[in-house]
Amino acid sequence: MGAMEYLGPAQPSQGHILCCQCGVPIPPNPANMCVGCLRAQVDITEGIPKQGTVHFCKQCERYLQPPGTWIQCSLESRELLALCLKKIKASLSKVRLIDAGFIWTEPHSKRLKLKLTVQKEVINGAVLQQVFVVEYVVQSQMCEDCHRIEAKDFWKAVVQVRQKTLHKKTFYYLEQLILKHKLHQNTLRIKEIHDGLDFYYSSKQQAQKMVDFLQCTVPSRSKSSQRLISHDIHSNVYNYKSTFSVEIVPICKDNVVCLSPKLAQSLGNMSQICVCIRVTSAIHLIDPRTLQIAEVDGNTYWRHPFNSLFHPKQLEEFIIMDINRVHEKKKGAGAGARSNKHTLAEAWVRKTSELDTDHQYFCCTHLGHILNPGDLVLGFDLANCNLNDEFANKMNPHNIPDVVLIKKSYDRSKRQRRRNWKLKELERDREAPDTDDERQYQDFLEDLEEDEAIRKNVNIYRNADIPVESDTDEDGPPRISLAEMLEDLHIAEDATGGEGAEMLTE
């Protein structure tokens, strides 16, 4: 006899029964059937569709969530999984969903595959678990919003922005703010007309958002109206087209204005003749005689309106004959804050058109920090003009200055050649180009170079076509530093997988 090996104490064996269908020994279960026979007898996924469709809009890359909601979902995301499960939610009510997940498919295959694990109580209380796959076909369907965009003329709301002034500096500034905050992305169409812009939207909510932005950005007032287009008496559905009218105050940078006596007194007893140095969410004014500054918001302006005394085309060129800076100026009673960025000066100037005469003008100016004898400066001649203004005609002639200087004059062609930066523009339907518009746009670019406060709200991009040169001319025009410029992003065609692109492999 061979040697015997001790295997330890005997373990009690579990009793087995025979499957009532095929006779295979199995552990006891309530159905007395093996798993194979049980699955052959009962299909717990019966009634659950194994195929379905999902609608996808190519333009906005959104999926349709019935009955009419379009939602943004990325591939294999929880949102897309929930969207697919909702399509078979009624069929899943008879089983218990244990697990659900995506099976990877090629992104361009137009197929989505879901792997589902379900349980159900079957014969005599036995619980059967089964795994199966549901395949969805992604069908293209354009959503209503994209239909309106493609139609271009089908809009639900329009925002009409107007400014009754000859110069468009405020509009150029507003355009850059819209680009920076990307408020132009929801527009169906932008149309440029003579004194403003029209923004068309597919919903009233988007137009209202634009109006709210304008009222926070520039001093303005707005009105709204709506027109009934159609009415369904059975479902009680009304279809309106809404119109929002936004009027911007008719004051631009470098305008000379005459305030009403009541408004001038409320602003700290400043002079009625003031210069607008900036327009942001309020009108920024400075008194060239005392450097006193004040801000007039939209509500204050419409309660006490005032107009510009001159058009930009009426600017005249003067030459500084002599200038004396005033270091101390006694404050008047109740005077407000003074500007720290300007220097008060008294200057004798002569028109460049009258150099053959000895006629000179005396004036106070807020530009004492940048002006020297011999410099050219642009200003308005109040001594030899007829002021057609309600408040100016009632003023004491001794309180009206002979000349108001606005800004230092530089060689414009030289500034354009050395300008190594650029701005982006809104894509809009333009009217016939006007040579005056180009001059006004150049004025706006010069304002950006001279005013750092406005530049902070504007995205300025470096122009790679113009080489960077060192600026050694201290008396030259102000320039924008490279640190304030953004790199303009250009995406090459090959980067999107176009012809000639190579696949990146790890």
Side-chain angles (χ1 to χ4, degrees):
M1 291 179 64
M4 295 181 64
E5 183 180 358
Y6 177 70
L7 299 177
Q11 299 291 332
S13 60
Q14 182 183 6
H16 283 70
I17 63 172
L18 299 180
C19 173
C20 65
Q21 292 288 332
C22 61
V24 174
I26 58 170
N29 62 59
N32 294 328
M33 282 193 289
C34 63
V35 175
C37 294
L38 194 59
R39 287 179 176 171
Q41 292 287 327
V42 180
D43 182 14
I44 64 174
T45 65
E46 185 179 2
I48 301 176
K50 306 301 187 297
Q51 288 186 337
T53 58
V54 175
H55 294 95
F56 176 72
C57 179
K58 291 182 179 179
Q59 274 73 11
C60 60
E61 298 183 350
R62 294 186 299 174
Y63 292 87
L64 174 62
Q65 180 175 307
T69 306
W70 292 83
I71 59 174
Q72 198 87 27
C73 302
S74 56
L75 286 175
E76 300 190 8
S77 64
R78 296 182 62 179
E79 294 80 7
L80 187 56
L81 181 63
L83 175 66
C84 295
L85 290 176
K86 283 182 180 179
K87 289 184 170 292
I88 56 174
K89 183 178 180 180
S91 304
L92 292 174
S93 61
K94 298 179 181 180
V95 296
R96 183 184 178 190
L97 181 64
I98 301 300
D99 188 29
F102 283 100
I103 299 177
W104 187 87
T105 54
E106 172 65 36
H108 300 289
S109 65
K110 302 295 183 184
R111 296 290 187 276
L112 297 174
K113 291 186 178 181
L114 263 64
K115 181 181 179 182
L116 305 180
T117 304
V118 295
Q119 287 182 352
K120 185 179 180 180
E121 186 176 326
V122 290
I123 305 172
N124 296 329
V127 177
L128 185 63
Q129 180 172 306
Q130 193 167 340
V131 179
F132 65 103
V133 176
V134 179
E135 180 177 320
Y136 290 92
V137 179
V138 180
Q139 293 185 350
S140 297
Q141 177 179 328
M142 189 178 291
C143 66
E144 293 182 2
D145 294 337
C146 293
H147 263 300
R148 297 189 184 110
I149 294 174
E150 291 297 319
K152 291 188 182 288
D153 291 329
F154 188 82
W155 49 272
K156 286 288 187 70
V158 59
V159 179
Q160 299 174 337
V161 187
R162 300 289 184 269
Q163 186 182 30
K164 298 176 182 177
T165 180
L166 293 179
H167 208 290
K168 298 181 179 180
K169 283 185 180 181
T170 307
F171 266 109
Y172 291 132
Y173 174 66
L174 184 61
E175 176 184 17
Q176 296 304 316
L177 289 177
I178 292 173
L179 285 168
K180 183 170 184 175
H181 293 87
K182 299 180 180 179
L183 286 178
H184 62 291
Q185 293 181 342
N186 294 327
T187 56
L188 303 178
R189 178 189 179 196
I190 302 176
K191 183 180 179 182
E192 179 181 350
I193 61 172
H194 177 63
D195 57 350
L197 293 171
D198 289 346
F199 297 88
Y200 294 88
Y201 292 92
S202 58
S203 69
K204 183 179 179 180
Q205 290 77 13
Q206 293 175 345
Q208 184 65 57
K209 183 179 179 182
M210 182 64 167
V211 173
D212 295 340
F213 172 78
L214 292 174
Q215 291 181 334
C216 296
T217 306
V218 290
S220 58
R221 62 180 176 181
S222 64
K223 295 187 297 183
S224 64
S225 63
Q226 58 184 13
R227 178 165 56 97
L228 181 64
I229 303 300
S230 61
H231 173 214
D232 188 350
I233 59 175
H234 301 289
S235 60
N236 202 28
V237 174
Y238 293 82
N239 183 19
Y240 290 100
K241 279 192 174 182
S242 303
T243 300
F244 295 88
S245 177
V246 180
E247 183 181 358
I248 303 175
V249 296
I251 304 297
C252 290
K253 184 180 183 295
D254 296 337
N255 282 166
V256 177
V257 300
C258 183
L259 309 179
S260 66
K262 186 176 180 180
L263 179 59
Q265 183 181 9
S266 66
L267 296 177
N269 290 326
M270 65 189 307
S271 301
Q272 289 183 245
I273 303 293
C274 297
V275 178
C276 176
I277 55 174
R278 192 181 302 119
V279 177
T280 54
S281 56
I283 304 172
H284 297 255
L285 301 174
I286 188 169
D287 183 355
R289 289 183 170 184
T290 61
L291 295 189
Q292 188 173 332
I293 55 176
E295 295 182 7
V296 179
D297 59 15
N299 293 330
T300 305
Y301 176 85
W302 298 116
R303 286 199 305 269
H304 307 281
F306 51 87
N307 298 314
S308 174
L309 299 180
F310 298 95
H311 301 310
K313 293 180 180 179
Q314 295 175 280
L315 275 171
E316 297 187 67
E317 192 175 57
F318 295 85
I319 186 170
I320 303 295
M321 306 304 296
D322 190 18
I323 187 167
N324 295 315
R325 289 165 180 81
V326 180
H327 298 289
E328 292 186 5
K329 182 80 172 179
K330 185 179 180 180
K331 268 193 173 185
R338 290 185 180 180
S339 173
N340 296 323
K341 297 182 179 180
H342 299 84
T343 302
L344 185 62
E346 297 176 343
W348 287 94
V349 298
R350 182 184 296 178
K351 288 185 182 180
T352 54
S353 60
E354 299 177 355
L355 289 179
D356 54 342
T357 66
D358 294 332
H359 187 54
Q360 295 185 10
Y361 302 89
F362 175 79
C363 65
C364 292
T365 179
H366 59 290
L367 304 176
H369 57 296
I370 58 174
L371 294 182
N372 295 297
D375 287 344
L376 296 177
V377 61
L378 297 176
F380 294 108
D381 180 8
L382 280 74
N384 301 314
C385 69
N386 293 322
L387 294 178
N388 186 18
D389 184 81
E390 176 187 359
F391 305 121
N393 293 335
K394 297 178 182 179
M395 286 182 63
N396 188 338
H398 297 290
N399 295 330
I400 300 178
D402 292 338
V403 172
V404 176
L405 301 182
I406 300 299
K407 60 180 179 179
K408 190 175 179 179
S409 179
Y410 300 98
D411 185 358
R412 170 165 286 186
S413 59
K414 184 179 180 180
R415 295 184 76 165
Q416 292 182 16
R417 288 196 306 269
R418 298 171 64 181
R419 187 171 291 141
N420 58 344
W421 55 274
K422 59 184 178 180
L423 302 175
K424 291 188 176 180
E425 296 183 6
L426 288 174
E427 294 183 4
R428 55 187 184 268
D429 299 338
R430 296 178 178 271
E431 292 183 334
D434 190 355
T435 55
D436 191 46
D437 290 348
E438 178 62 27
R439 182 187 64 82
Q440 294 181 18
Y441 187 67
Q442 292 300 324
D443 288 344
F444 173 68
L445 298 182
E446 292 173 4
D447 290 343
L448 286 180
E449 293 175 333
E450 296 168 5
D451 195 339
E452 183 180 356
I454 295 182
R455 286 204 300 270
K456 293 179 180 179
N457 300 326
V458 176
N459 284 343
I460 298 173
Y461 298 90
R462 181 183 170 188
N463 190 354
D465 298 334
I466 300 179
V468 180
E469 57 182 45
S470 59
D471 190 8
T472 57
D473 187 5
E474 296 182 356
D475 296 331
R479 301 181 65 184
I480 298 178
S481 63
L482 287 174
E484 299 178 79
M485 301 181 194
L486 302 173
E487 289 291 339
D488 196 5
L489 180 62
H490 292 284
I491 301 177
E493 292 183 1
D494 289 350
T496 59
E499 186 177 355
E502 296 182 1
M503 183 178 294
L504 298 176
T505 56
E506 295 182 357

